[in-house]
Amino acid sequence: MRITVCENYDEMSKKAAQLVLAQVTLKPNSVLGFATGSTPLGLYENLSEMCSAGQIDFSNTVSFNLDEYYPIKKDDPNSYNAYMQENLFSKINIKRENAHLLNGETDDPEGECENYERMIGRVGGIDMQILGIGSNGHIGFNEPDSVMYPYTHITHLTESTIKANSRFFSSVDEVPKKALTVGILTILNSKRIILMANGAGKKQVISELLGDGMKLNLPAALLKLHPDVTLICDKEAYPK
Ligand code: GLP
């Protein structure tokens, strides 16, 4: 795992944006994997500005988001569909039909997950996957559990994730208890992975990730099996 430690959130976001720029410049029809949460907001702001300035062109790119709450309406302000629309897709020139998200409104979550996995396969997999990390080590919504699911699936959120994500909702009871998420192998099949982490709240989990071995209760530790992962974090999240 390559590690880049940045002075602050701003620098981390700019560095990540430079990596996306290089990816899309070298391969204009890149398949990008996008994440949600507070971590990539600065990255998305940078990409939006670069796109407005004509420095990056998303018109031939395809994207797949990692996850979505279940059930949730697409136009619910807390859905990841709404988040992506507001923070990125409305500000860059990606074709809306090329920007894929799991559908939290579906009556057939299993079918939705199978179809999503098939769509990722049909375009040859993800070229560059952007990841955040939950403070319990989850990636996407692959939570610590005794069973790991390789492919896109429906999952239960842990109490700690529901609590952590309740900051975006008006109360903890409004956080959906389930989610649709790409699986661990879907993530590990990406050609390159950019893992982002910022703030003192992530220091413990990054310390566990960078420690010896691979912790079984830390889904992010599976990233150690991947040959091309770059961790970009700020000083506060870096344990050394
Ligand atoms: C959320 C998302 C993850 C995200 C993580 C960290 O629950 N499902 O994809 O990486 O939690 O969120 P944040 O960036 O807000 O700390």
Side-chain angles (χ1 to χ4, degrees), residues 87-196:
N87 295 302
L88 191 64
F89 297 152
S90 62
K91 299 175 179 172
I92 63 171
N93 64 341
I94 191 167
K95 294 192 183 89
R96 195 59 193 90
E97 67 271 22
N98 286 344
H100 304 283
L101 280 122
L102 284 152
N103 176 10
E105 292 183 11
T106 182
D107 293 332
D108 175 17
E110 283 82 13
E112 171 71 12
C113 292
E114 273 173 35
N115 186 42
Y116 201 71
E117 193 69 43
R118 252 197 312 270
M119 286 198 294
I120 295 175
R122 263 204 301 268
V123 295
I126 310 280
D127 289 308
M128 176 176 273
Q129 175 66 58
I130 307 297
L131 284 183
I133 184 168
S135 33
N136 65 357
H138 73 227
I139 46 176
F141 270 132
N142 292 278
E143 297 273 41
D145 201 345
S146 52
V147 184
M148 287 273 119
Y149 293 91
Y151 299 113
T152 308
H153 60 283
I154 182 163
T155 187
H156 285 268
L157 301 182
T158 59
E159 280 308 314
S160 74
T161 296
I162 291 172
K163 202 168 155 223
N165 289 9
S166 67
R167 69 190 194 276
F168 300 111
F169 292 78
S170 40
S171 84
V172 72
D173 299 330
E174 283 182 26
V175 185
K177 308 286 177 285
K178 293 185 197 172
L180 309 177
T181 182
V182 301
I184 286 292
L185 196 58
T186 325
I187 294 173
L188 290 178
N189 278 338
S190 310
K191 295 178 188 74
R192 282 189 82 184
I193 297 176
I194 311 296
L195 173 64
M196 302 174 72

